[in-house]
Amino acid sequence: MPELPECEANRRRVEADCLNRTIERVELGEVTHMDLPGDNARGRLTGRQFTETRRHGKAIFAGSETGPWIVVHLGMTGSLRPYDAGGKEPDYAKVTFVFEGDRRLAFRNPRKFGTMAVIDDPDAYIAEKRLGPDALDIGANAFADVMGRTRGAVKSALMAQTKLAGIGNLWSDEALYRAGIAPETRADALGPDRTARLHEAVHDVLGHLVSADADYSQIPDDWLFPHRTSGAACPACGGRIEKSKVGGRTAYACADHQEAA
Ligand SMILES: [Zn+2]
């Protein structure tokens, strides 16, 4: 499921290939029950250009200073795919932007959990959805405030988009693994040292993935990611990786070096 680094990689593709081109029309793919822009909303985009992109947490935006903008949530398996007409077209395209010339942008979505909407202003959208600070941008003090105000499990706190925007199941596990903190630990019981260590771990994990354009083949072998199997040996301490449920979500953690207290 796409998290901040995967969303950032998608944003970059739009930024690289789809800016400053007039939108001739916006087509819908096969009829679905997804939340997608209706006729009027799509009509607002006709004749306009995307001149900039933004991302906040898992929300991807493309638009211009005077608007309108699109906001995209990739859902489980969605992606944004620029391509040129005449070549191979992406399958499962639910929305296709037809730019002047041959350039196209497909919102590809094999499963139906992604959404796209036309909005006036990304900042108003972020406020309306009560999204927390972006998980890659947040500073150490603001991060400590968020954790200190949260009585629930630290893994759940990392994944709550209203507290911290951008982290999901996979990279919350990775940050906790790196920080040596058990996922069920109460966020407000971490204490200053472990909170600071977790902030650094979040920043390092997301930063590495963003630099690698979310290419998983560039993930080092000492990360949890290649060892996310129940009973696997922990590359950090030789302990055992165990699977559990935290806040209804599956968590993988080392039973030995990730401490709860
Ligand atoms: Zn370990």
Side-chain angles (χ1 to χ4, degrees), residues 85-106:
K88 189 174 180 297
E89 294 185 8
D91 53 0
Y92 301 107
K94 305 299 183 185
V95 182
T96 302
F97 291 81
V98 177
F99 296 98
E100 60 182 330
D102 290 335
R103 189 57 47 84
R104 306 286 182 266
L105 172 64

Side-chain angles (χ1 to χ4, degrees), residues 10-159:
N10 277 270
R11 182 198 68 78
R12 284 177 179 168
R13 285 201 293 270
V14 176
E15 173 92 19
D17 291 336
C18 300
L19 294 192
N20 306 310
R21 296 167 185 270
T22 301
I23 299 166
E24 289 188 340
R25 60 186 183 278
V26 186
E27 299 173 342
L28 286 189
E30 59 170 288
V31 175
T32 68
H33 298 290
M34 289 169 63
D35 244 337
L36 298 173
D39 293 347
N40 289 345
R42 295 202 314 283
R44 288 184 64 196
L45 297 165
T46 305
R48 310 304 294 262
Q49 298 188 345
F50 298 140
T51 58
E52 54 188 303
T53 62
R54 280 181 62 182
R55 182 196 51 72
H56 186 96
K58 302 180 196 173
I60 304 165
F61 303 95
S64 61
E65 201 175 344
T66 53
W69 290 72
I70 56 166
V71 55
V72 177
H73 285 275
L74 298 176
M76 298 285 283
T77 52
S79 60
L80 291 164
R81 299 279 168 189
Y83 67 101
D84 285 327
K88 189 174 180 297
E89 294 185 8
D91 53 0
Y92 301 107
K94 305 299 183 185
V95 182
T96 302
F97 291 81
V98 177
F99 296 98
E100 60 182 330
D102 290 335
R103 189 57 47 84
R104 306 286 182 266
L105 172 64
F107 178 29
R108 185 178 182 277
N109 226 326
R111 295 165 77 179
K112 292 175 184 168
F113 300 101
T115 64
M116 179 185 288
V118 177
I119 59 167
D120 291 316
D121 174 41
D123 288 321
Y125 177 88
I126 291 163
E128 182 198 322
K129 298 292 177 189
R130 296 165 168 263
L131 295 179
D134 184 78
L136 190 57
D137 289 346
I138 190 170
N141 291 340
F143 184 85
D145 281 349
V146 168
M147 292 300 146
R149 281 189 274 110
T150 304
R151 298 172 66 177
V154 62
K155 177 177 169 71
S156 306
L158 289 174
M159 292 175 60

